[in-house]
Amino acid sequence: MLNIGCHLSLSDGYEAMGKDALSIGANTFQFFTRNPRGGNAKAIDEKDAERLSALLKEHQFAPLLAHAPYTLNLCSSNPETRLFAKNMMADDLKRMEKLPCTLYNFHPGSHTGQGAETGIEQIAEALNEIMKPEQTTIVLLETMAGKGSEVGKSFYELRSIIDRIELSDKMGVCLDTCHISDAGYDIINNLDGVLTEFDNVIGLDRLKAIHLNDSLNTPGSHKDRHAKIGEGNLGLECIVRVINHPALKGLPFFLETPNELDGYAKEIALLRGAFTC
Ligand code: FE
Ligand code: FE
Ligand code: ZN
């Protein structure tokens, strides 16, 4: 069974996302923990979270994925921005304990001119302050396209962050197909080689989720613009190889393609039909 879903909006609550997922043939989904541009989060309605939990069990969902606001930047050159990000993530991790979701993904950050090495140090330092031994959440670093001063454009950078984390058993990676192609990893012609490199540098046991996106730009462009499945430079054949790759078997796949629900339903049906393993 292919574990697949898409990004959904939290605006109508937690159970509503579960129902939306069911309505489009998904058995998982991703959501922003709060407004994607940051700011205050609404208090969690625990009854709503319990209803979602029951729905997930009844329909045997795969693990869900929470996504931090994309403005969260733990390695900005501005100390106030770093502090703001740290407080927001600490609050998110507290809230996560009330949700039937154990995976929390975030963009490592943009070093804004300080250099990747400094960025990596600052990200790790912040995570070591924020993460707690009692948390049940696994924190995922997302592979990035390398737009601007983004940290996490190579498997080595992600590995360098993980190496500095005290509670590293609570760290994982979310691989974004658009981002790694834009970063220069050739998954169109050499998916095997790229996954072997991931295994050698980070370890496939760290890989907990896949963002499944086509890319509007060519490999190595460092752009990060998602395309619908089969309508970008990766193409349907490449995406189908990804969902069927034995190294990725059982992982949850999340579409972040430019779609409304009906478009997502079509992509999910297309990919379920192309799933062979
Ligand atoms: Fe992301
Ligand atoms: Fe992504
Ligand atoms: Zn992206």
Side-chain angles (χ1 to χ4, degrees):
M1 161 105 152
L2 178 63
N3 295 321
I4 189 164
C6 65
H7 187 89
L8 293 174
S9 164
L10 175 56
S11 57
D12 294 325
Y14 293 98
E15 186 192 23
M17 291 191 291
K19 287 182 171 170
D20 276 348
L22 285 174
S23 78
I24 56 172
N27 68 332
T28 181
F29 60 89
Q30 170 179 271
F31 59 97
F32 282 126
T33 53
R34 60 181 78 208
N35 185 310
R37 284 176 295 279
N40 285 333
K42 267 199 289 182
I44 289 177
D45 174 346
E46 297 196 23
K47 286 276 177 303
D48 184 24
E50 278 167 29
R51 285 193 299 268
L52 171 63
S53 178
L55 179 147
L56 300 178
K57 276 188 204 113
E58 186 189 340
H59 297 277
Q60 297 178 315
F61 269 54
L64 308 185
L65 181 57
H67 195 307
Y70 47 71
T71 51
L72 182 146
N73 189 1
L74 293 174
C75 63
S76 167
S77 57
N78 181 342
E80 273 171 44
T81 305
R82 293 204 301 272
L83 181 63
F84 181 74
K86 219 158 64 175
N87 289 338
M88 191 153 60
M89 190 187 279
D91 184 48
D92 269 357
L93 289 182
K94 231 186 270 168
R95 295 157 53 80
M96 285 290 291
E97 298 297 323
K98 296 184 174 167
L99 295 175
C101 174
T102 55
L103 300 176
Y104 176 80
N105 172 61
F106 78 106
H107 296 181
S110 294
H111 63 68
T112 60
Q114 307 183 94
E117 189 59 34
T118 302
I120 286 165
E121 295 286 354
Q122 289 176 341
I123 294 161
E125 204 180 285
L127 287 172
N128 281 330
E129 277 181 52
I130 298 164
M131 292 172 67
K132 301 280 177 263
E134 63 272 18
Q135 78 182 45
T136 56
T137 302
I138 306 293
V139 177
L140 307 186
L141 301 162
E142 181 166 350
T143 60
M144 301 310 293
K147 189 179 58 181
S149 65
E150 275 175 352
V151 176
K153 64 186 180 299
S154 74
F155 300 156
Y156 290 97
E157 289 185 358
L158 298 181
R159 170 66 194 263
S160 315
I161 297 169
I162 295 168
D163 277 346
R164 289 168 169 77
I165 306 299
E166 287 149 26
L167 298 168
S168 69
D169 58 322
K170 296 179 191 298
M171 290 297 298
V173 172
C174 171
L175 185 150
D176 186 309
T177 54
C178 166
H179 295 177
I180 61 168
S181 173
D182 283 17
Y185 289 99
D186 187 4
I187 57 171
I188 302 171
N189 300 301
N190 189 18
L191 178 62
D192 280 344
V194 172
L195 291 177
T196 300
E197 186 172 345
F198 186 100
D199 195 27
N200 291 338
V201 176
I202 300 176
L204 281 167
D205 55 328
R206 295 269 184 202
L207 186 54
K208 306 295 182 197
I210 307 287
H211 282 167
L212 197 60
N213 303 306
D214 212 325
S215 172
L216 277 183
N217 292 99
T218 49
S221 61
H222 303 295
K223 283 277 181 24
D224 186 5
R225 291 186 64 208
H226 303 188
K228 292 182 186 180
I229 299 301
E231 295 186 14
N233 281 285
L234 298 186
L236 182 59
E237 238 180 90
C238 168
I239 301 280
V240 167
R241 275 198 296 274
V242 170
I243 59 170
N244 285 307
H245 199 286
L248 309 180
K249 199 174 172 176
L251 288 175
F253 292 86
F254 302 92
L255 298 162
E256 300 176 306
T257 46
N259 278 304
E260 303 293 332
L261 276 186
D262 56 338
Y264 280 131
K266 279 182 198 142
E267 290 188 346
I268 290 169
L270 172 72
L271 294 168
R272 287 207 185 283
F275 184 66
T276 54
C277 71

